[in-house]
Each structure stands twice: as structure tokens, then as C-alpha cells.
Amino acid sequence: MSMLSGLKSLGLLEMVRYGPEDAAELKRHRLDRFDRIHGTDTNTSVAVSDLEALGSNQESAELYWPIRSGPFRHMMEAVGLGLHEFSFIDLGSGKGRALLLAADFPFRKIVGVEFSPRLCEIARANLRVLVAQGRMDGQRAEVLCADACTFAFPSEPLVVFLFDPFGPDVLKPVITNLVASLERQPRPCIIVYHLPMHEALFQEAGFEVISRQRRGLHLAYPWVVLRRT
């Protein structure tokens, strides 16, 4: 993906909100070696207009953009807990880059939730690559093709990952369902939110910030880690 085509795919609003960071991320992704090393297909962005999606929330979706391994590792380190009791849930998992990175951590289970059948199939193929390489237990990871609004959160402790996957029209009911699940069965829940455009919605729902990275000199996307126990 060229710099010009990448900027076009981001759209005017996104460029205005995060223009410098977007340009810096595009440059970093051009140098990203993950797919070349692992034989996967995760690095090319996909515009929302190119997706056939389940449900009626396509207008609230953001384009697919892969998380880089460095920021992902830093966010997981910021969680600061033994992860073997937690399930990792990626809402808007796209081609599955975060799922593949999560395989390097001792999560009990790894689940991607994605409303685009096209992206679900790509993500599943990527998971199979890592399983064949012996880097991932095929029984530990899955991709569910579903609207995040209808997702039933599992009953174990949760690390919920988001990379600005959708707008508030979808995020609000997702948070409502998550909080209801936590109130029915109290358990630890950590939110790991990369490019947290709607962080306030989590704080309004009773989640507290435990760590964050703000915009810095290197123009890295900000992120925040929140907790509700």
C-alpha cells in the first residue's frame, strides 16, 4: 500500500483528527515485517466500503488497520496481571493481527469478533498458518463472524481489546452488554483500547484508567488500559 493510497483510504475525517499520527503509522506499516516473517496476510488495510458485513452497523465501522507488535506488547505489559486466567476478546478483529500477537501471551482463550465474513475468512486462514507453525494451539483461538452488539461475553475474566473498531452507536450497546454480563457474574475485566476515540464511554460505565500512552514526539497512536472489577 502506497502512502497516497493509504491516506485516501483513511478518509477526510480521520485525516483531520489524526493526520500526523496516521502518516507516521503508514510509514511504519510500510516497514512492518510481520507478514513476511510469518507468511500471513494482516498488514494491508481494508476500507469499510469494501466490506460485506453482517448486521446493520456498517455505517459505524472504521476501516481495518493492523496493530503493530511493539504497541501491542506494551499494552499487554501495562495490564500487569497474570493472563493465564483471562480470555482475550478482540472486538472488530479484522484480519486477526491482534489474535496472532495474543498467541504469544498465556491467555486461556483467544476470540476474535468480526462482522465482515471476508475478514473472518482471512483471519481464520492466518490462525491456521500459526497453528501449522506450532506457534498457536488451534483449540485456544477462534474467530466469530458476528456483530459486536450481539456478542455474549464469556463468563471468565476478560481482556477486551479494541483498535478504534466502531463509533459510539455500536460501542454504547457493546458496553451495556459487557457491564450487564459483569454484574450478572462479577469477575475481573480489563479494556485495552488502542486509538481510544470514545474512551469516555467506558469511564461513564464505571471503568477506571490504570495506564495510558498519550500522543508523543514519535507520533505513536495513543492507547489506554481500563479496569472494572
Side-chain angles (χ1 to χ4, degrees), residues 71-84 86-88 105 107 158-161 188-193 210-212 223-227:
F72 186 87
R73 184 179 65 255
H74 294 154
M75 288 185 285
M76 292 301 105
E77 291 171 351
V79 171
L81 297 172
L83 299 176
H84 61 282
F86 286 76
S87 284
F88 177 88
F105 296 84
F107 289 108
L158 302 173
V159 170
V160 180
F161 176 78
C189 180
I190 304 292
I191 305 296
V192 179
Y193 195 176
I210 59 175
S211 184
R212 75 163 68 245
W223 50 260
V224 64
V225 176
L226 307 99
R227 173 179 59 198

Side-chain angles (χ1 to χ4, degrees), residues 18-97:
Y18 276 91
E21 287 88 344
D22 289 334
E25 285 295 309
L26 280 167
K27 185 174 182 180
R28 293 184 184 107
H29 278 294
R30 290 179 65 186
L31 302 174
D32 189 288
R33 300 172 60 239
F34 186 92
D35 286 343
R36 292 196 297 274
I37 292 172
H38 300 293
T40 50
D41 171 18
T42 66
N43 199 45
T44 306
S45 66
V46 180
V48 176
S49 59
D50 292 336
L51 300 177
E52 295 181 0
L54 296 177
S56 58
N57 289 314
Q58 187 161 358
E59 291 184 359
S60 293
E62 302 289 350
L63 87 165
Y64 164 73
W65 194 249
I67 179 70
R68 290 183 296 110
S69 57
F72 186 87
R73 184 179 65 255
H74 294 154
M75 288 185 285
M76 292 301 105
E77 291 171 351
V79 171
L81 297 172
L83 299 176
H84 61 282
E85 295 181 357
F86 286 76
S87 284
F88 177 88
I89 312 295
D90 182 1
L91 298 179
S93 52
K95 293 183 177 182
R97 171 71 76 87

Side-chain angles (χ1 to χ4, degrees), residues 138-159:
Q139 302 300 313
R140 192 164 66 107
E142 64 177 328
V143 177
L144 302 179
C145 197
D147 191 311
C149 291
T150 67
F151 177 64
F153 289 92
S155 59
E156 58 263 20
L158 302 173
V159 170

Side-chain angles (χ1 to χ4, degrees), residues 128-195:
R128 289 194 292 269
V129 170
L130 262 66
V131 170
Q133 294 172 353
R135 291 192 58 234
M136 174 181 282
D137 179 355
Q139 302 300 313
R140 192 164 66 107
E142 64 177 328
V143 177
L144 302 179
C145 197
D147 191 311
C149 291
T150 67
F151 177 64
F153 289 92
S155 59
E156 58 263 20
L158 302 173
V159 170
V160 180
F161 176 78
L162 307 95
F163 185 175
D164 188 31
F166 31 69
D169 289 346
V170 173
L171 188 55
K172 286 179 180 178
V174 167
I175 293 174
T176 296
N177 291 342
L178 175 58
V179 170
S181 175
L182 296 174
E183 290 179 346
R184 284 194 302 270
Q185 186 167 359
R187 59 201 187 276
C189 180
I190 304 292
I191 305 296
V192 179
Y193 195 176
H194 192 52
L195 190 55

